[in-house]
Amino acid sequence: MPAASWSSPISTADVARAGARAGWPTALDGQTWWTEDRPEEGGRTTIVHRAADGTRRELLPAPWCARTRVHEYGGRPYTVTPSGDVVFANLADQRLYLLDSTGAISPISPEGEDSRYADLLVHDGHVWCVRERHFDDGKIARAIVSLSLSGGGQMRERVTGSDFYAFPAISPDGEHLAYICWSHPRMPWGGTELRVTRLSDGLSWPVRGGAEESVLAPRWKDGERLYLISDLSGWWNLYEIGLQGGSPQPLCPMEEEFAWPLWNLGGLPYTILGDGRLAVLHGRGDLRLGVLDPRTRVLADLDVRYDGWEPALAADGTCLVGVAYGAATARSLVRVDTATGQAEALGGGAGEPPDPAYLPTPRAVELPGADGPVHAFLYPPAHPAESVDGPLPYVVFVHGGPTAHAGTALDLEKAFLTSRGIGVLDVNYGGSTGYGRAYRERLKGQWGLVDVADTVAAARWLAAEGLADPDRIAVRGGSAGGWTVMAACCRSDTFAGGVSYFGVSALAPLNAHTHDFESRYVEWLVGPEDPDVYAQREPLALVGGMTCPMLLLQGLDDPIVPPEQSAAFADALSERGIACTYLAFEGESHGFRRAETRSAALAAELAFYQQLFT
């Protein structure tokens, strides 16, 4: 059967159901809590509890949805009290609620103010968290605050003065608060500061970090010293430092990353075990699990069957819980006993993956780029009843961010294509994370150039290697990846067509209308606002060079990349007679959550490729 039309058991509905992902685990006394997305319930997020005896129970009934909109990307939307009650942020009104053991739900944050909350922790009968307050004049202010679990009393601002905060951590003796902060125009992977506040009088002081050092994830070793992650060596590595600062001591210096970029609040890329050892994640690209003894500085990887872990670990004595994945293993909640090395899958995923015979095996590749080697993962077509005869059609995937990366987790969107005879190359272009600070800074001031050049180079490498038919290579990406797709199709005749999900097409409108967290990001990516420079970079200004058809997909409730970005590009293509399909989805935001939307979008994408490739 011709490539791009192989018969596959993987349906659009299967891919849509795969959105039922587990996340944000908490572990306490043998119990586990986590969030689970529900694509078939309008995309809401619930909270699930697993008792020590293995009994599983959904805690949050519809229509409640545990999701915070801090920074719009959100993060961990709940925390657990010492007694096992749950505090969560509700999507509809963004207030904090207490869910007690009887299932009763009561509000604890004030009514009538437009505030959002994230990075929650419980200490001494109070919730401590990052609050993001929105005012009628459009201004936004953030602070670290505390409020009573009972809902009574005044909310107290503990730390103010910076534009952004993350990772609040209270010392074991309750006397100090450590946290990360930064301000515009910096992003947290560019420069952050670790500070400590003495709670008795509010006195604060810097401990580590600055404009050219990204410090993340402080955790108290004891009342006098902290662990932290810093990229001062050029890689996000683990260090130990004193309460008053000084020279940080490297715990395990490696040319590997021990963290991901801070897009979501509330994750932990390492955790302190009950015996004082550290469960850590480290690697290039995917992060693998190991145990680090901070006394001997010895790191030992755990022999578990998973290829990677998300940076959101939770410790329970010498056990830990996290979200793990493999190339043929769906993301699921996993509990690991670090004393024995035994790993137990707790579930929480989207069910069993398809027959492995239909799943692609990723291969890490390096290909030549303009600024040095470019990292990518190759996914050749896989089918038990079909054979590969000659070069095949391929789609080059371009991740969003752009300060992010593509890993090798089982992705049914890829398998949906590869099982039909369409190969995939997922590119970690210059600017991606996972390969050190120098690699991600290749994109500084070069967005629309380096990412585009590396994406085009990836397609040409596929053809030169005899893997892809040069006339049947498409390109696909979302958000910042959509920008790269549109720009690559405008600047090059390499691609037979492009697919953009909620992509950026014009910079000045983005600066004016995007959300606060990324409102100054373009200054780092491109430079200060300059119409002449923008006209040389943005796809909308380059649309005259477009010759291939496009498929554009957009959520109409997107606060990050407003729908006008895709609509304007679609109109510009139509005016020039370039074939373009524009699909807009009501009720969807930045990343589609509803099963029906995910299914319809993927069906449209497949039809687009089949029209290009057959």
Side-chain angles (χ1 to χ4, degrees):
M1 186 176 293
S5 58
W6 296 352
S7 176
S8 170
I10 303 173
S11 67
T12 59
D14 293 328
V15 179
R17 281 194 295 270
R21 290 168 51 175
W24 307 116
T26 298
L28 177 67
D29 298 333
Q31 305 173 80
T32 310
W33 293 258
W34 66 91
T35 61
E36 238 177 64
D37 294 336
R38 294 278 190 264
E40 296 178 340
E41 296 180 28
R44 79 178 187 97
T45 301
T46 188
I47 298 173
V48 180
H49 172 252
R50 184 181 188 270
D53 64 3
T55 304
R56 171 179 161 150
R57 183 165 62 99
E58 182 174 334
L59 300 181
L60 205 60
W64 295 99
C65 177
R67 193 179 308 150
T68 172
R69 289 185 59 190
V70 170
H71 298 180
E72 294 297 354
Y73 292 108
R76 180 186 293 271
Y78 78 101
T79 189
V80 177
T81 72
S83 64
D85 294 340
V86 174
V87 178
F88 70 94
N90 183 49
L91 176 64
D93 58 5
Q94 288 297 289
R95 293 179 71 189
L96 291 179
Y97 290 82
L98 180 68
L99 169 66
D100 69 21
S101 57
T102 70
I105 299 175
S106 55
I108 61 174
S109 64
E111 186 179 16
E113 68 174 45
D114 188 0
S115 291
R116 307 169 183 183
Y117 307 90
D119 246 349
L120 313 175
L121 64 91
V122 173
H123 172 73
D124 196 24
H126 289 73
V127 182
W128 296 62
C129 58
V130 174
R131 182 191 66 187
E132 178 182 280
R133 190 168 184 182
H134 294 243
F135 295 92
D136 292 340
D137 61 2
K139 292 182 179 179
I140 296 173
R142 297 177 184 85
I144 297 178
V145 302
S146 64
L147 65 159
S148 172
L149 281 170
S150 67
Q154 189 75 20
M155 183 181 297
R156 185 173 177 184
E157 291 187 343
R158 300 288 185 162
V159 179
T160 61
S162 294
D163 292 334
F164 302 96
Y165 296 95
F167 298 111
I170 298 174
S171 61
D173 57 15
E175 294 185 1
H176 296 95
L177 172 70
Y179 54 92
I180 297 298
C181 59
W182 69 100
S183 291
H184 286 307
R186 284 184 267 159
M187 300 299 287
W189 41 85
T192 61
E193 188 176 39
L194 166 60
R195 295 184 67 89
V196 167
T197 293
R198 189 166 59 209
L199 295 176
S200 61
D201 59 7
L203 179 66
S204 297
W205 60 88
V207 177
R208 185 71 211 180
E212 299 298 325
E213 180 182 352
S214 174
V215 180
L216 303 171
R219 280 298 175 262
W220 292 91
K221 177 182 180 179
D222 51 41
E224 297 295 327
R225 300 190 67 78
L226 297 114
Y227 298 119
L228 70 147
I229 289 176
S230 169
D231 68 353
L232 69 94
S233 71
W235 297 81
W236 275 314
N237 277 195
L238 263 167
Y239 295 84
E240 183 181 319
I241 197 168
L243 174 65
Q244 300 295 332
S247 298
Q249 301 174 10
L251 297 182
C252 186
M254 301 176 71
E255 290 191 350
E256 292 187 357
E257 305 282 38
F258 282 68
W260 282 1
L262 187 63
W263 285 100
N264 309 104
L265 298 184
L268 276 179
Y270 70 96
T271 188
I272 304 172
L273 300 171
D275 57 9
R277 296 179 301 158
L278 306 177
V280 304
L281 302 178
H282 67 105
R284 293 190 177 199
D286 295 315
L287 301 179
R288 59 191 183 277
L289 178 64
V291 174
L292 173 64
D293 189 329
R295 294 159 294 191
T296 64
R297 312 289 169 90
V298 173
L299 172 63
D301 284 345
L302 295 176
D303 186 15
V304 292
R305 65 184 183 92
Y306 302 96
D307 299 326
W309 296 73
E310 296 186 354
L313 298 178
D316 184 13
T318 57
C319 292
L320 65 91
V321 180
V323 177
Y325 58 82
T329 305
R331 283 183 174 86
S332 62
L333 212 67
V334 178
R335 184 181 181 91
V336 178
D337 186 334
T338 62
T340 65
Q342 291 186 330
E344 176 189 7
L346 305 183
E352 290 299 313
D355 181 343
Y358 292 93
L359 299 178
T361 300
R363 176 166 63 93
V365 297
E366 283 190 7
L367 51 98
D371 296 312
V374 176
H375 301 278
F377 292 106
L378 180 70
Y379 296 82
H383 196 292
E386 300 286 353
S387 59
V388 175
D389 183 18
L392 293 173
Y394 262 79
V395 178
V396 176
F397 275 40
V398 186
H399 66 71
T403 309
H405 76 279
T408 62
L410 173 63
D411 181 353
L412 288 191
E413 285 188 343
K414 294 187 179 78
F416 180 82
L417 298 177
T418 58
S419 63
R420 287 171 167 79
I422 302 172
V424 170
L425 182 66
D426 209 351
V427 182
N428 280 313
Y429 49 84
S432 301
T433 60
Y435 306 97
R437 183 166 183 132
Y439 192 81
R440 71 177 184 265
E441 289 198 338
R442 287 187 188 180
L443 204 57
K444 184 177 182 180
Q446 300 297 308
W447 195 37
L449 300 177
V450 166
D451 52 317
V452 169
D454 288 352
T455 300
V456 171
R460 291 174 177 169
W461 175 85
L462 282 170
E465 292 291 311
L467 298 168
D469 179 345
D471 295 326
R472 294 190 295 168
I473 302 175
V475 61
R476 177 245 213 214
S479 190
W483 153 282
T484 304
V485 166
M486 290 186 278
C489 290
C490 289
R491 289 183 177 277
S492 167
D493 61 0
T494 301
F495 298 104
V499 177
S500 169
Y501 282 78
F502 33 86
V504 176
S505 67
L507 293 175
L510 180 73
N511 292 339
H513 298 293
T514 193
H515 62 138
D516 183 58
F517 177 64
E518 294 181 273
S519 61
R520 305 284 296 275
Y521 194 13
V522 171
E523 292 181 29
W524 187 90
L525 291 168
V526 177
E529 187 161 340
D530 183 327
D532 293 334
V533 174
Y534 282 11
Q536 298 169 19
R537 303 289 185 88
E538 58 189 20
L540 193 59
L542 302 172
V543 72
M546 175 76 73
T547 59
C548 67
M550 294 288 298
L551 171 63
L552 308 178
L553 305 102
Q554 177 73 47
L556 291 179
D557 293 343
D558 192 336
I560 296 172
V561 179
E564 291 79 9
Q565 292 279 329
S566 291
F569 197 70
D571 290 343
L573 291 178
S574 297
E575 289 172 5
R576 287 160 177 77
I578 304 297
C580 175
T581 300
Y582 173 47
L583 300 179
F585 296 93
E586 294 277 359
E588 290 288 2
S589 183
H590 199 69
F592 300 157
R593 290 181 174 271
R594 297 174 178 175
E596 60 270 26
T597 304
R598 292 166 59 87
S599 184
L602 191 59
E605 195 175 346
L606 177 63
F608 180 75
Y609 296 140
Q610 288 176 331
Q611 190 173 19
L612 291 180
F613 296 153
T614 58

